[in-house]
Amino acid sequence: MTQASTKTLSVQEAIETRRSIRQFEQAPLDQGDLREILRLAGLAPSAWNAQTWRFAVVQSPELRAQLQEAAYGQPQVTSAPAVIVLYSDMEEVLATARETAHPGMGEEGAAQQEQTFQNAFGAMSVEQRAAWANAQANIALGYLMIAARGLGYDTVPMLGFQPDKVRELLGLPAHAQIAALLPIGRRAHEGFPHHRHSTDRITKFY
């Protein structure tokens, strides 16, 4: 934590105080905090440890303005000091599958990991693989929002944008799937309190 940051919240506090914030303080993000949020989000679990997610952090005012256009003019894109574009790239994952094997598994484990990925995904179309990868990336999205709140920052997950335009702006490959845009900063207003179904409303116990 840096001096500029607030105290670290517990996981429970981070979840309970998280809001979807659309108006942010006009101050740059602490870069140490930003890197720590990304590090924590990168600890999210994934099937076969595939780690399909990638983060594109947009802080340039000019690029955020262009990103806002690709997001149908939504003002939170330029209100926030940064926007994290969370995307997945399954083709890159397949090409570097050995890197996802735990070092403790040794060379044999790395080779087995590579073969496992080929067996599971090799016969799929690029589109089918991309859909699987995007589902994994959504796990990281949850971690990202809670990690941000835990360090005193706020976010709002955005699904309303034109993927092709975002890919073009960031130079991402055509097969990359964008899970969400995530404006991040310190809240300039409190947002709405939670309004959620009760646990009994959404749960069946067997």
Side-chain angles (χ1 to χ4, degrees), residues 1-203:
M1 291 290 291
T2 63
Q3 274 191 328
S5 300
T6 58
K7 74 178 183 71
T8 303
L9 304 180
S10 69
V11 173
Q12 181 178 348
E13 289 172 325
I15 292 172
E16 291 181 341
T17 63
R18 196 209 70 79
R19 302 284 187 272
S20 288
I21 298 298
R22 293 173 174 82
Q23 297 174 26
F24 297 87
E25 291 183 1
Q26 298 304 299
L29 278 183
D30 180 281
Q31 297 301 295
D33 286 349
L34 176 59
R35 286 185 170 275
E36 178 64 1
I37 289 165
L38 295 169
R39 185 190 73 82
L40 292 170
L43 295 176
S46 57
W48 291 309
N49 198 35
Q51 303 171 69
T52 64
W53 48 79
R54 302 292 183 265
F55 307 117
V57 183
V58 181
Q59 299 184 84
S60 158
E62 294 78 16
L63 193 52
R64 278 188 290 120
Q66 293 177 288
L67 201 58
Q68 183 181 40
E69 291 182 19
Y72 306 106
Q74 295 180 77
Q76 59 266 36
V77 175
T78 51
S79 174
V83 178
I84 300 172
V85 179
L86 173 63
Y87 70 98
S88 58
D89 186 344
M90 193 59 190
E91 301 312 297
E92 197 268 339
V93 170
L94 284 177
T96 59
R98 297 172 70 91
E99 296 178 10
T100 65
H102 193 281
M105 297 167 64
E107 176 59 28
E108 182 180 348
Q112 183 178 354
Q113 181 83 333
E114 186 174 40
Q115 188 61 54
T116 296
F117 276 52
Q118 287 302 320
N119 291 343
F121 303 108
M124 288 185 181
S125 68
V126 171
E127 292 75 19
Q128 288 172 322
R129 291 195 292 260
W132 185 88
N134 206 45
Q136 300 295 309
N138 277 302
I139 303 172
L141 176 60
Y143 270 59
L144 194 56
M145 289 187 287
I146 299 306
R149 185 63 197 139
L151 292 187
Y153 294 90
D154 295 284
T155 58
V156 55
M158 296 176 58
L159 302 181
F161 53 86
Q162 300 171 74
D164 287 346
K165 289 190 176 181
V166 175
R167 279 191 285 262
E168 182 181 357
L169 280 172
L170 302 180
L172 302 180
H175 60 258
Q177 292 295 300
I178 302 170
L181 307 186
L182 194 71
I184 179 171
R186 294 194 186 277
R187 64 180 67 177
H189 70 112
E190 286 304 306
F192 291 105
H194 291 145
H195 175 63
R196 301 289 192 270
H197 292 307
S198 69
T199 302
D200 289 339
R201 169 72 174 78
I202 61 173
T203 307

